[in-house]
Amino acid sequence: YREALKLEPANAVARSGFDRSVEYGMRRAEEALVAGRLNEAATITESLRPLAPNNSRLAFLNTQIEKEQARQNADASQRAANETRQAQIRASLDQMNERLRRGALLDPGANSAVSHFRTAEQVGPGDPAVRAARESLIGALLTAADNELTAKRLAASRRMVDAAATLNSSAPGLDVVRRRIDEFSEQQAAA
């Protein structure tokens, strides 16, 4: 149709066929855009650009394609950041769990269960895995505090309770162990 229009610009059949072809291409580009096939939509609009360079609908389609591509790129970047954050949380919590198994709750300070938990907490404080790990760690600290108290090591028991309190000052069981420590301390003073 374009070649026919070059030879005879006033040819109504050629003009009608050319306009229908451009319209068909626009519809295909719009359908591809709506279906999320951005590469296809961009290819179609690029092929239409030399045929209808001043078409406002084509300019609008190109703008929409660019916006959708930018949104998809931003989504991909966000997904990558979230995956990186999740990997960091998992690695820190794995280290925390390893220290829990070895009984390294507070020592050494930079490589203890508590320090690895703090790292995970900094990366994702609201993450469900971090919240669950907090409860496990508090439970382990309170159990260790109780064991230290049973072994009559008051300072070590207090240290464990204080560490648990820094993780959650209203943790269940915290007040019970504190009360036992206070009672033991009073008994020691009386003796």
Side-chain angles (χ1 to χ4, degrees):
Y1 293 118
R2 186 170 59 172
E3 293 302 316
L5 285 172
K6 282 181 185 176
L7 295 174
E8 196 177 325
N11 185 315
V13 173
R15 171 58 53 200
S16 174
F18 180 80
D19 291 344
R20 280 194 321 271
S21 296
V22 170
E23 175 62 28
Y24 174 74
M26 296 271 199
R27 274 197 319 264
R28 281 192 48 223
E30 288 169 343
E31 290 168 0
L33 176 62
V34 169
R37 298 186 314 267
L38 298 181
N39 290 339
E40 181 182 338
T43 301
I44 294 169
T45 59
E46 284 303 311
S47 67
L48 290 174
R49 189 185 311 266
L51 302 175
N54 299 323
N55 188 304
S56 61
R57 188 168 158 207
L58 182 60
F60 176 76
L61 269 172
N62 281 323
T63 302
Q64 293 306 107
I65 291 168
E66 289 170 8
K67 284 181 182 177
E68 186 60 23
Q69 287 171 331
R71 187 193 64 75
Q72 283 185 355
N73 289 339
D75 288 350
S77 296
Q78 184 64 38
R79 275 193 303 279
N82 285 340
E83 289 170 7
T84 299
R85 185 177 64 82
Q86 287 299 314
Q88 290 171 336
I89 289 170
R90 277 192 305 276
S92 293
L93 293 181
D94 287 347
Q95 291 290 327
M96 181 201 85
N97 287 323
E98 173 59 29
R99 299 313 179 275
L100 279 174
R101 282 190 288 284
R102 292 192 327 193
L105 299 175
L106 298 174
D107 295 312
N111 195 18
S112 66
V114 170
S115 69
H116 288 291
F117 171 78
R118 292 287 187 204
T119 301
E121 186 179 44
Q122 287 175 347
V123 175
D127 190 276
V130 172
R131 289 194 307 263
R134 177 183 291 116
E135 299 309 314
S136 296
L137 183 55
I138 289 170
L141 287 165
L142 292 178
T143 299
D146 192 50
N147 292 341
E148 294 292 341
L149 191 58
T150 301
K152 300 184 191 285
R153 291 188 290 264
L154 186 62
S157 182
R158 277 202 179 141
R159 187 169 176 238
M160 296 292 173
V161 168
D162 290 344
T166 65
L167 298 174
N168 181 356
S169 61
S170 60
L174 193 60
D175 290 337
V176 172
V177 177
R178 280 184 173 155
R179 212 171 302 118
R180 287 192 59 223
I181 290 172
D182 290 343
E183 289 170 2
F184 181 77
S185 181
E186 289 171 10
Q187 290 170 358
Q188 290 292 331

